[in-house]
């Protein structure tokens, strides 16, 4: 059902759409189809770029694939984490151009628990289901072995919030 929500991110927000107020987005009308209305304008998502305020976790697992397989790997791993259709498409549209032009790429994902430490997300009323994922990747000249990540997709129940992002190693361009 249509729900008025407040969203606050525990991060130093540098770029956002719509503009991120210091105390967060308030009175955002969230519709069951994912459409959001804020201050009279309609959005497909609340977009933000910035710097988390918590510690960045050590990367200890992931997947190394030839760069030619990166797109298919990203899609399947996003689905394994519970993202669907438009969510995956929008992720790919944003991140695929950032995949390094190297023979191989290491793909690792921060979990919801890690993101809750790095950049806590407060949504009220609280969603029944929260899916947060964050891509950390690196171009490699040769294959490497890294412990494989295991994924689980939470069952979506009721009001669901999905957040995806990633690390731009060159920093935020604005």
């Amino acid at each position: 059902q249509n729900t008025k929500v407040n969203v606050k991110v525990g991060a130093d927000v540098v770029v956002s759409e719509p503009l991120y107020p210091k105390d967060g987005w308030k009175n955002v009308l969230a519709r069951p189809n994912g459409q959001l209305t804020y201050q009279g304008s309609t959005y497909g998502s609340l977009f933000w770029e910035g710097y988390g305020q918590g510690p960045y976790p050590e990367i200890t697992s992931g997947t190394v694939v030839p760069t030619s397989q990166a797109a298919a790997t990203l899609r399947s791993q996003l689905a394994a984490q519970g993202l669907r259709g438009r969510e995956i498409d929008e992720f790919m549209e944003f991140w695929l151009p950032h995949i390094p032009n190297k023979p191989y790429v290491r793909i690792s994902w921060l979990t919801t628990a890690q993101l809750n430490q790095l950049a806590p997300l407060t949504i009220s009323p609280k969603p029944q289901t929260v899916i947060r994922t964050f891509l950390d990747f690196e171009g490699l000249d040769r294959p490497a072995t890294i412990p494989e990540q295991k994924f689980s997709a939470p069952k979506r129940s009721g009001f669901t919030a999905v957040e995806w992002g990633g690390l731009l190693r060159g920093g935020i361009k604005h």
Side-chain angles (χ1 to χ4, degrees), residues 10-169:
D12 298 321
V13 176
V14 176
V15 178
S16 67
E17 180 64 29
L19 183 66
Y20 184 79
K22 286 252 183 263
D23 58 347
W25 290 293
K26 300 226 185 268
N27 295 311
V28 178
L29 179 63
R31 293 185 177 81
N33 67 1
Q35 190 177 66
L36 306 170
T37 301
Y38 178 68
Q39 296 182 340
S41 295
T42 301
Y43 301 90
S45 64
L46 302 176
F47 171 81
W48 70 273
E49 288 183 11
Y51 299 94
Q53 297 171 342
Y56 195 83
E58 182 181 353
I59 300 300
T60 58
S61 62
T63 308
V64 175
V65 296
T67 301
S68 63
Q69 294 175 18
T73 301
L74 290 170
R75 281 187 178 281
S76 70
Q77 290 182 348
L78 286 164
Q81 295 174 75
L83 277 74
R84 297 178 177 166
R86 189 186 83 182
E87 299 156 354
I88 293 172
D89 291 344
E90 289 176 354
F91 179 97
M92 297 299 292
E93 181 182 328
F94 184 88
W95 284 103
L96 215 46
H98 295 286
I99 297 299
N101 187 16
K102 294 277 198 161
Y104 295 87
V105 64
R106 183 214 16 101
I107 298 169
S108 301
W109 300 93
L110 274 57
T111 63
T112 296
Q114 289 171 317
L115 285 169
N116 289 343
Q117 292 290 314
L118 177 64
L121 181 65
T122 305
I123 302 173
S124 59
K126 189 175 179 191
Q128 285 95 328
T129 308
V130 176
I131 301 171
R132 300 181 79 194
T133 190
F134 187 92
L135 175 65
D136 184 301
F137 59 94
E138 178 181 20
L140 304 172
D141 290 320
R142 57 186 76 57
T145 304
I146 186 170
E148 188 178 336
Q149 280 186 289
K150 302 287 186 239
F151 302 107
S152 62
K155 182 181 182 319
R156 289 186 184 213
S157 174
F159 173 32
T160 299
V162 176
E163 180 189 30
W164 56 256
L167 177 64
L168 287 173
R169 290 195 183 277

